[in-house]
Amino acid sequence: MFGRALTSVLWGMIADRYGRKPVILFGTIAVVVLNTLFGLSTNFWMAVSTRFLLGSLCGILGPMRAYASEVCRKEYQALAMSIISTSWGIGLVIGPAIGGYLAQPAEKFPNVFPAKSVFRRFPYLLPCLLISVFSLGVMVVACWLPETLHMHGENSKEYDIPYEALEAEENKTSKEELQRNEGSRHTSWSLLRNWPLISSIIVYCVFQLHDMAYTEIFSLWAISPWKFGGLNYSTADVGEVLALSGFGLLLFQLCLYPQVERICGPIVISRVGAVLSIILLSSYPFLAKLTGIILTILVDSASILKNVLAVSITTGLFLLQNRAVTQEQRGAANGISLSAMSLFKAMGPAAGGLIFSWAQKRQNASFLPGTHMVFFLLNVVEALGLLMTFKPFLAQPND
C-alpha cells in the first residue's frame, strides 16, 4: 500500500499520456514476477521488498477504473464500475481463502507434496504461484483490449495526401502535442482544485479505512475463543465464510446494483449502505452468544450483507470520481484517489489489530466491554463517512 501511494499519481499520468493499455500490461507483468518472488522469499525483508515493489510497479487499478468508465456509455457506467468493484471485492475475500487453503501444502497434503519438494522449503509458494499463473493468463488476454485513449495523428496515412494538407496536419499534431505536454504539467494542480473530485476522494478514503479495519477485525474476531467474545472458528471456517461472501457479492453487484443505482443514484446508495452497515455491525457482538447451525447461517448472511454494502458504497464513490473529470484527466484523477486510499488502507489493518488487542483486555469493563467496543469504534468511522456524504462537504459533479 505504501508503494502504491508513492506511484499511483505517476501511473495515472502515464496512462493519460500514453494510454491505458500499456500501464495495464506492465502491471500484470509486475504481478507475475514479483508475486512469484514473494512466494520464494527467504527472510522478512525480502518479503517486504517484493510487496513494496509490487505496489510501486503495478498501477493497474486507476487506469482500469478510467477504462471501465470510457468503454461504456453513461447509462452503463454503473454496471462497469460495479464490475471493477466486484472484482476488487472478490479478490479481497477469495485471495485470503486461497492463501489459507494452499499455504504450507507439504504439511497439509503430504501425499501430494513430498517432504523434499520445493513447497516444503517455500511453504507459501503454491498460492503465490497460482496467482502468478492466473495473472499471466490475464496479461495474454489484455493484449486484445482496445485502447480507449485515442492519440491523434498516430495512424494517419501519409500516402495520397497533398503536401499542403500533410503539412497542416503536422502543424496541428505539433500543437496538440504541445498542449498535451503543457496540460500534463498542470493536471495535478487543477485536479487538486476540483472540489467534487477531492471531496469524493476524502469520503472514499474514510470508508476504505473502515473496510480494511473491518477485514482485519473480522478474521481475528472469528478465530477468537468464546471467552473473549469470538466465534471460536478455525481458519478453514473463516475461509469458507469469505468465499461465500465473494459469491454473494458477485451476484448482487452484477445483477442488482446497476438497476438500484439508476433509480437512486450513487450518493443515496452510499448513504443507505452506511446506515445499514452501522445497524449490522451493532449486532455482531451478540452473534457470539449463538451456536450451531443458527450461528453459521447468521454469520454467513451478515458477512455477505456487509461486503455487499461496503462494495456498493465504493462503487457509488467511483462513479462520482470519474464523472468529476474529463477523459484526459481521468487517469491522473484515479491515481490521486489510489494514492490517498493506499495510505488509509495501510493504516486500516494496523489500527484494527491494535483496537482488537486492546479490547481483549477490557472483557469486564462496565462500558462497552470486549468486542462491543471494537464494533462501536468501527461504527464511529462509518458514521463519520456517512456525515461527509452530505452537503456542504460532498459536492456532486456536473454532468
Side-chain angles (χ1 to χ4, degrees):
M1 288 299 173
F2 182 63
R4 182 181 295 164
L6 294 179
T7 61
S8 289
V9 176
L10 175 62
W11 283 117
M13 295 177 71
I14 292 173
D16 284 341
R17 180 68 178 81
Y18 298 103
R20 321 300 189 203
K21 187 174 176 179
V23 176
I24 293 169
L25 290 174
F26 186 85
T28 51
I29 293 172
V31 173
V32 172
V33 175
L34 293 166
N35 200 57
T36 304
L37 290 176
F38 178 70
L40 293 170
S41 297
T42 54
N43 57 64
F44 176 75
W45 290 111
M46 181 178 175
V48 170
S49 299
T50 53
R51 294 299 293 173
F52 173 78
L53 289 173
L54 180 56
S56 302
L57 298 178
C58 182
I60 288 179
L61 188 55
M64 278 308 305
R65 279 159 49 176
Y67 187 95
S69 65
E70 293 163 355
V71 80
C72 298
R73 295 198 302 270
K74 185 183 175 183
E75 58 266 31
Y76 297 111
Q77 283 183 357
L79 175 61
M81 287 295 108
S82 67
I83 290 173
I84 296 293
S85 300
T86 301
S87 60
W88 176 263
I90 289 176
L92 287 179
V93 293
I94 298 296
I98 291 175
Y101 283 126
L102 299 183
Q104 300 173 317
E107 297 179 11
K108 294 179 180 177
F109 314 106
N111 295 330
V112 180
F113 302 96
K116 294 183 179 180
S117 68
V118 68
F119 297 106
R120 179 75 177 186
R121 183 182 177 190
F122 302 104
Y124 303 101
L125 175 60
L126 183 59
C128 292
L129 202 57
L130 179 65
I131 301 303
S132 295
V133 171
F134 178 72
S135 300
L136 185 62
V138 171
M139 183 191 70
V140 174
V141 173
C143 293
W144 280 272
L145 281 178
E147 179 58 70
T148 57
L149 189 67
H150 300 292
M151 304 299 181
H152 298 290
E154 287 181 356
N155 299 319
S156 58
K157 299 179 181 179
E158 296 187 5
Y159 48 83
D160 296 332
I161 301 177
Y163 174 76
E164 292 80 4
L166 186 61
E167 186 177 24
E169 180 66 24
E170 185 178 348
N171 290 335
K172 178 183 176 183
T173 303
S174 299
K175 289 181 180 179
E176 290 177 351
E177 185 76 18
L178 184 62
Q179 290 173 352
R180 270 203 301 268
N181 292 336
E182 185 69 23
S184 65
R185 286 193 290 268
H186 300 288
T187 294
S188 297
W189 176 242
S190 64
L191 289 175
L192 293 175
R193 292 184 295 176
N194 183 337
W195 183 244
L197 172 66
I198 297 301
S199 61
S200 62
I201 289 176
I202 295 173
V203 177
Y204 171 63
C205 288
V206 172
F207 282 119
Q208 288 301 300
L209 175 64
H210 170 275
D211 291 345
M212 288 302 290
Y214 166 80
T215 302
E216 178 76 11
I217 286 171
F218 177 81
S219 297
L220 294 173
W221 172 64
I223 63 175
S224 294
W226 283 310
K227 65 179 181 178
F228 291 121
L231 302 180
N232 203 34
Y233 272 19
S234 67
T235 54
D237 293 333
V238 176
E240 290 175 6
V241 173
L242 294 176
L244 191 61
S245 299
F247 181 71
L249 185 64
L250 176 65
L251 290 179
F252 174 81
Q253 286 293 114
L254 297 185
C255 301
L256 295 178
Y257 181 85
Q259 285 75 21
V260 175
E261 191 277 336
R262 196 173 295 119
I263 296 171
C264 302
I267 296 180
V268 173
I269 289 179
S270 297
R271 290 170 182 167
V272 172
V275 171
L276 293 178
S277 291
I278 292 172
I279 297 172
L280 181 64
L281 284 181
S282 299
S283 68
Y284 269 43
F286 302 101
L287 293 178
K289 301 181 183 300
L290 304 174
T291 57
I293 189 66
I294 296 177
L295 172 64
T296 302
I297 292 174
L298 289 180
V299 169
D300 289 346
S301 302
S303 179
I304 291 172
L305 182 57
K306 179 65 181 73
N307 282 291
V308 163
L309 294 173
V311 174
S312 297
I313 294 170
T314 300
T315 305
L317 294 170
F318 278 175
L319 286 169
L320 292 178
Q321 290 169 29
N322 280 290
R323 290 174 182 174
V325 294
T326 61
Q327 183 188 21
E328 293 75 16
Q329 296 178 313
R330 205 162 278 153
N334 280 289
I336 294 173
S337 171
L338 278 175
S339 290
M341 175 267 288
S342 297
L343 290 175
F344 278 76
K345 279 198 167 186
M347 294 185 291
L354 286 172
I355 290 172
F356 190 84
S357 15
W358 169 65
Q360 294 284 289
K361 302 172 185 176
R362 334 179 43 258
Q363 295 296 325
N364 299 318
S366 56
F367 177 71
L368 296 174
T371 55
H372 289 269
M373 176 60 76
V374 174
F375 293 108
F376 171 76
L377 292 177
L378 282 177
N379 278 338
V380 169
V381 178
E382 190 82 350
L384 176 62
L386 172 62
L387 291 174
M388 294 171 72
T389 62
F390 290 91
K391 293 181 178 180
F393 188 84
L394 183 63
Q396 189 165 359
N398 295 322
D399 293 334

